Amino acid sequence: MGSEKSKILVFGGRGYLGKYMVKASVSMGHPTYVYVRPVDPSKLQLHHEFESMGVTIFQGELDEEEKMVAAVKQVDVVISTLAVPQHLEQFKIIHAIKQAPNVKRFVPSEFGNEVDRVSGLPPFQALMENKKRIRRATESAGIPFTYVSANSFAAYFVDFLLHPHQTLQHVSVYGNGDAKAVLNFEEDVAAYTIKASVDPRTCNRVIIYRPPGNIVSQLDLISSWEKKTGTTLQRTHISEQEIIKLSESLPFPENIPVAILHNIFIKGDQMSFELNANDLEASELYPEYKYTSVDKLLDICLVNPPKPKLAAFA
């Protein structure tokens, strides 16, 4: 898989992370394919953009097994970027891959915490348990895999925490604000994933995205933004007890985001374990790739903040 460019198929290629994944694959010279639902008007522009980039587009539903198998049989690598509500739909992708011995690597949709090494409040734990089910099914099927722990999406959380599109005088701080998180720019998550998906070193391994320039606390983030904008923001602290109560009282799926906030920004789970000599870390594995640090992303937000995105949990 080294010298010859691998053919890469992306499921969920028109989604939030998926579109970055497709573009990264094309930019690295891989013959790139997407398996997507029949085009709806809201996705037409992206559909045409993919066509202009030379992307091969398979249209079908996840229930259409013959179509999926036919698509999977044409590629070397399958990457899923399906959203949280569709995570268990990946059993169907696994079933299709089992019928395609040509597939050399499967990257299931994770891109968050290292689910086998952390735990969370019940609403978030349930989400992580689904990811673990997909991991175990992939392993049981004997499919070569790479599991991606990309921690947090930087543009998403910078928008959520700082609201760079608006001129605000106050910000919410979850807990005391000191817990360290890892915020990785979405384009970098995609680029690292494409690299890892064809790297023999990452076969049947977990790769963790923890670049040193992206390890920050909420207070770090707020202070940096204040310096760059020349403003002083009023901080409103939301206690851990309040967040836990909300995770228990809010209905599904509204209880999931608060449980995620607790895990990342109060418990600090993304930095709760040390990486050892056996761990694979993306910025060390690919030192030639110049990632966008959180500081650089804040500079971008001063001029042209990335468009905010609402996450779907159901």
Side-chain angles (χ1 to χ4, degrees):
M1 294 175 72
S3 57
E4 194 174 317
K5 289 293 184 181
S6 300
K7 298 176 181 178
I8 296 178
L9 170 65
V10 180
F11 281 86
R14 291 198 303 242
Y16 180 59
L17 181 63
K19 62 180 181 291
Y20 293 114
M21 202 70 70
V22 171
K23 292 175 183 178
S25 178
V26 171
S27 72
M28 293 182 200
H30 294 284
T32 303
Y33 305 70
V34 295
Y35 187 93
V36 293
R37 289 172 173 168
V39 181
D40 65 69
S42 68
K43 303 284 188 179
L44 203 54
Q45 182 178 343
L46 188 58
H47 184 89
H48 292 322
E49 187 178 347
F50 284 170
E51 287 181 325
S52 70
M53 293 162 57
V55 175
T56 300
I57 301 173
F58 299 111
Q59 295 192 46
E61 302 288 347
L62 294 173
D63 290 326
E64 296 182 274
E65 183 179 334
E66 286 187 14
K67 285 187 178 181
M68 285 179 58
V69 172
V72 166
K73 282 186 173 180
Q74 296 190 42
V75 302
D76 305 301
V77 174
V78 176
I79 298 174
S80 172
T81 61
L82 296 180
V84 169
Q86 294 178 291
H87 275 174
L88 294 184
E89 296 286 294
Q90 292 177 109
F91 285 123
K92 298 170 184 175
I93 299 176
I94 292 169
H95 184 67
I97 294 173
K98 285 169 67 176
Q99 300 174 63
N102 50 287
V103 173
K104 301 178 180 71
R105 196 76 59 87
F106 175 45
V107 182
S109 185
E110 291 203 14
F111 310 107
N113 286 13
E114 214 298 73
V115 296
D116 282 329
R117 292 164 83 168
V118 300
S119 61
L121 296 176
F124 187 35
Q125 186 63 36
L127 187 157
M128 290 194 287
E129 290 298 329
N130 285 343
K131 292 183 179 182
K132 286 199 262 188
R133 288 177 63 187
I134 296 300
R135 284 190 177 192
R136 303 295 87 85
T138 301
E139 293 156 14
S140 295
I143 298 169
F145 62 83
T146 298
Y147 301 146
V148 171
S149 172
N151 289 305
S152 299
F153 293 159
Y156 175 88
F157 276 107
V158 165
D159 179 79
F160 179 83
L161 295 169
L162 297 178
H163 309 286
H165 289 82
Q166 304 166 279
T167 305
L168 300 179
Q169 302 303 315
H170 67 276
V171 290
S172 296
V173 179
Y174 301 94
N176 61 22
D178 287 328
K180 297 289 186 180
V182 187
L183 307 185
N184 293 311
F185 190 39
E186 286 80 336
E187 289 184 17
D188 296 338
V189 170
Y192 279 139
T193 301
I194 297 299
K195 286 177 175 291
S197 74
V198 297
D199 188 341
R201 297 173 295 177
T202 63
C203 187
N204 296 334
R205 299 288 301 276
V206 177
I207 180 171
I208 298 170
Y209 299 177
R210 198 188 276 187
N214 292 345
I215 300 170
V216 294
S217 69
Q218 292 175 84
L219 295 184
D220 293 335
L221 202 61
I222 293 166
S223 295
S224 294
W225 188 242
E226 287 176 326
K227 290 175 185 175
K228 290 178 184 293
T229 58
T231 59
T232 300
L233 297 171
Q234 179 184 341
R235 295 152 170 77
T236 301
H237 285 261
I238 301 172
S239 72
E240 180 175 12
Q241 290 71 27
E242 290 177 81
I243 292 293
I244 292 173
K245 285 181 181 177
L246 283 172
S247 77
E248 295 169 341
S249 62
L250 286 172
F252 173 86
E254 286 86 355
N255 57 355
I256 298 176
V258 292
I260 291 174
L261 288 173
H262 177 271
N263 183 273
I264 298 172
F265 296 111
I266 298 178
K267 191 179 177 190
D269 246 0
Q270 292 177 350
M271 292 297 296
S272 64
F273 57 93
E274 293 291 330
L275 300 186
N276 58 48
N278 294 320
D279 285 312
L280 299 177
E281 195 283 311
S283 64
E284 292 185 1
L285 213 53
Y286 310 111
E288 77 287 351
Y289 180 77
K290 305 303 180 187
Y291 68 89
T292 302
S293 66
V294 169
D295 186 68
K296 176 62 176 173
L297 178 58
L298 293 182
D299 288 337
I300 294 171
C301 287
L302 288 172
V303 181
N304 184 27
K307 292 181 180 178
K309 164 73 179 177
L310 295 176
F313 294 104

